[in-house]
Amino acid sequence: MGHPRQPDPRDYPGVVTTLVTILAVLLPGGLTFSLYKHLNAPDPDTAVALPTTDPTPEPAQPSPSENERPGSPIDDDEFGDWNFRLDSVTFKAERVGGWTYDSCAPVDRQGVLAKNKCEHAVQLAYSAYRGHLTAVQVIMSFPTVKAAKATAKHLANSSRAVKWRRDKILGKYVYGKIRSGATKRYVLLTVVTADKTAQAKATRFHHYLHTDHSNYFLFRDSAVPD
């Protein structure tokens, strides 16, 4: 018997906002509040500046996607347009690209991902505010939480270990930063660029996009032991 398909995040107005609503009914208030508080936490601006050059060729075209299910390899089809709502906070971004890779080799620049036994990777590209803000997100899966944390620790010091599609960001920008971090067995790296028109909105957009998609992985494989 086949596995039931997971709910697709693009069916919802923000991945975690819907989960917060459900958890308010199913779970004790403490956990629900912690997720809500995390999304609304003041942004400490931990993003690092975008490197100015990258002579590395763009990653090769990936293989076709498979339907996602708990414990299955990550797939770019799990993420569609980003429509986020939480109280008075709203963001919208159109997904303009998605790539699924059978391995992490296409996004591994320095061998760090291979060293930590990275298994699969996807890339997502978004455009918002009529093209005045762009985002590229690389999501990588690892066999253990320990391996994911080790990779995230390295990326906190140098984002150059990961290759991402520079053809999907703005050529000229006044905001250009990278966020990265681990959630369970997954590591996310989110790049955002914005011109002067969207500069004032870029920091909060960056924070919420990265956090929303990171928190998705708190629940994706909940039935699968870490």
Side-chain angles (χ1 to χ4, degrees), residues 50-59 106-110 123 136 138 159-169 173 178 189 191:
L50 194 63
T52 55
T53 59
D54 182 2
T56 307
E58 302 295 343
V107 297
D108 192 353
R109 176 181 287 113
Q110 299 173 339
Q123 278 200 83
V136 172
V138 182
S159 62
R160 291 184 178 275
V162 174
K163 291 187 288 188
W164 43 272
R165 298 192 64 98
R166 287 179 171 266
D167 60 326
K168 297 300 181 181
I169 66 170
Y173 50 84
I178 300 173
L189 181 142
V191 183

Side-chain angles (χ1 to χ4, degrees), residues 103-117:
S103 73
C104 295
V107 297
D108 192 353
R109 176 181 287 113
Q110 299 173 339
V112 173
L113 304 184
K115 178 182 177 181
N116 291 319
K117 303 185 184 303

Side-chain angles (χ1 to χ4, degrees), residues 193-208:
T193 58
D195 60 19
K196 290 183 178 180
T197 300
Q199 181 181 10
K201 303 171 183 176
T203 298
R204 280 169 60 81
F205 180 101
H206 201 171
H207 167 72
Y208 278 96

Side-chain angles (χ1 to χ4, degrees), residues 52-195:
T52 55
T53 59
D54 182 2
T56 307
E58 302 295 343
Q61 289 296 321
S63 61
S65 301
E66 297 177 357
N67 289 333
E68 69 277 11
R69 58 182 182 270
S72 68
I74 51 177
D75 192 295
D76 69 273
D77 281 344
E78 295 181 50
F79 298 90
D81 293 341
W82 188 51
N83 297 301
F84 182 89
R85 294 191 303 274
L86 184 62
D87 287 346
S88 61
V89 179
T90 62
F91 292 105
K92 288 187 178 183
E94 178 186 1
R95 199 187 96 150
V96 294
W99 303 267
T100 299
Y101 304 102
D102 288 335
S103 73
C104 295
V107 297
D108 192 353
R109 176 181 287 113
Q110 299 173 339
V112 173
L113 304 184
K115 178 182 177 181
N116 291 319
K117 303 185 184 303
C118 184
E119 296 176 324
H120 302 279
V122 303
Q123 278 200 83
L124 307 167
Y126 290 96
S127 177
Y129 306 115
R130 298 184 178 182
H132 293 285
L133 183 151
T134 61
V136 172
Q137 193 168 67
V138 182
I139 305 173
M140 299 149 278
S141 65
F142 293 82
T144 65
V145 172
K146 182 178 179 180
K149 288 182 176 179
T151 304
K153 182 177 180 180
H154 183 96
L155 293 179
N157 297 318
S158 174
S159 62
R160 291 184 178 275
V162 174
K163 291 187 288 188
W164 43 272
R165 298 192 64 98
R166 287 179 171 266
D167 60 326
K168 297 300 181 181
I169 66 170
L170 298 177
K172 295 181 179 180
Y173 50 84
V174 295
Y175 177 98
K177 293 186 179 182
I178 300 173
R179 293 181 182 274
S180 60
T183 300
K184 299 183 75 173
R185 296 185 299 106
Y186 300 89
V187 173
L188 287 82
L189 181 142
T190 307
V191 183
V192 168
T193 58
D195 60 19

